[in-house]
Amino acid sequence: MSAAPLTAGELAVLPVFPLPRVVFFPGSRLPLHLFEPRYRALIADCLANGPHAMAIALLAPGWETHYAGRPPIHEVAGAGRIVAHERLADGTYNVLLDGVARVRLEELAAGELPYRRAHATALEAPESEQPVSRADLTALVSAASAIAAEVRRAHGAFSLGIEPGDPPGQLADTIADRLVADTAHRQAILEAVDVPARVRLVTATLAEILAVVGANGRTPGRSDLAH
């Protein structure tokens, strides 16, 4: 069962966990290990006082020189609800997030807290207002199925994780999460709020992967795929 959507109150002051190579899609699950003091404080506050949620924001280019402070982040992020957590003996945490929304972040001013927070605006539009053509859906599923078949040659249990009747936007997000590894491509897909455009973007990205696989005559590896 999917986690509950974020409330207006939760979106108003949402903790932000910036990461260098992670793009978090709605409908996916993300395991995290929080060990830096500021992020241990973040999760402790979330668990004690709420919200039981956070945004995972991709660090923008140039973050390396500012990592200890407030490095630049992409303003479109994935927001997730905390569905499981464990505090380890050394004070670090294992956390599992359930992705519930793509959001636009407006960072709040730094205060006494050691971690960052933002006012978040949910970007999802009703899919009923964004019809996707049958041809575009067929192209998406066909490309994903072709790559999945190649992956199963080496990893027989691999699954796309899609179900008949999945809404097109969720279908595109799930396939992107499973099959697209490149961080820049993943962020572009996350930023594609328009569902028909997102479906076409994921399909085009998969076509690039298939072209590489075909040219090299090999099974897709970690450099090609997300999982």
Side-chain angles (χ1 to χ4, degrees), residues 33-35 40 87-93:
H33 179 64
L34 282 67
F35 58 89
R40 288 158 60 176
R87 188 179 188 277
L88 305 180
D90 61 1
T92 64
Y93 288 84

Side-chain angles (χ1 to χ4, degrees), residues 6 26 189:
L6 300 183
I189 293 164

Side-chain angles (χ1 to χ4, degrees), residues 158-203:
F158 178 81
S159 170
L160 283 175
I162 60 177
E163 299 289 343
D166 281 347
Q170 184 58 62
L171 187 69
D173 284 343
T174 301
I175 289 172
D177 185 57
R178 297 291 288 161
L179 295 181
V180 179
D182 180 79
T183 303
H185 281 116
R186 288 173 67 88
Q187 182 65 28
I189 293 164
L190 185 70
E191 293 178 4
V193 178
D194 179 78
V195 172
R198 187 191 314 162
V199 168
R200 292 190 293 269
L201 178 58
V202 175
T203 302

Side-chain angles (χ1 to χ4, degrees), residues 67-110:
Y67 182 72
R70 293 170 69 91
I73 58 174
H74 288 269
E75 66 176 16
V76 176
R81 190 172 292 286
I82 300 164
V83 292
H85 58 88
E86 177 187 21
R87 188 179 188 277
L88 305 180
D90 61 1
T92 64
Y93 288 84
N94 289 331
V95 175
L96 182 64
L97 295 182
D98 202 351
V100 295
R102 46 176 42 79
V103 296
R104 188 177 305 279
L105 303 176
E106 297 177 39
E107 274 208 74
L108 301 174

Side-chain angles (χ1 to χ4, degrees), residues 13 18 51 77 119 123 126 133:
V13 185
H119 172 78
L123 297 178
S133 72

Side-chain angles (χ1 to χ4, degrees), residues 137-155 158-160 162 175 178-180 202-203 205-214 217-221 224-225:
L137 278 179
T138 299
L140 172 63
V141 174
S142 295
S145 298
I147 296 175
E150 293 296 323
V151 175
R152 290 191 193 101
R153 293 184 181 184
H155 308 282
F158 178 81
S159 170
L160 283 175
I162 60 177
I175 289 172
R178 297 291 288 161
L179 295 181
V180 179
V202 175
T203 302
T205 305
L206 299 183
E208 292 180 15
I209 296 173
L210 282 169
V212 170
V213 172
R218 61 177 175 81
T219 299
D224 304 307
L225 305 180

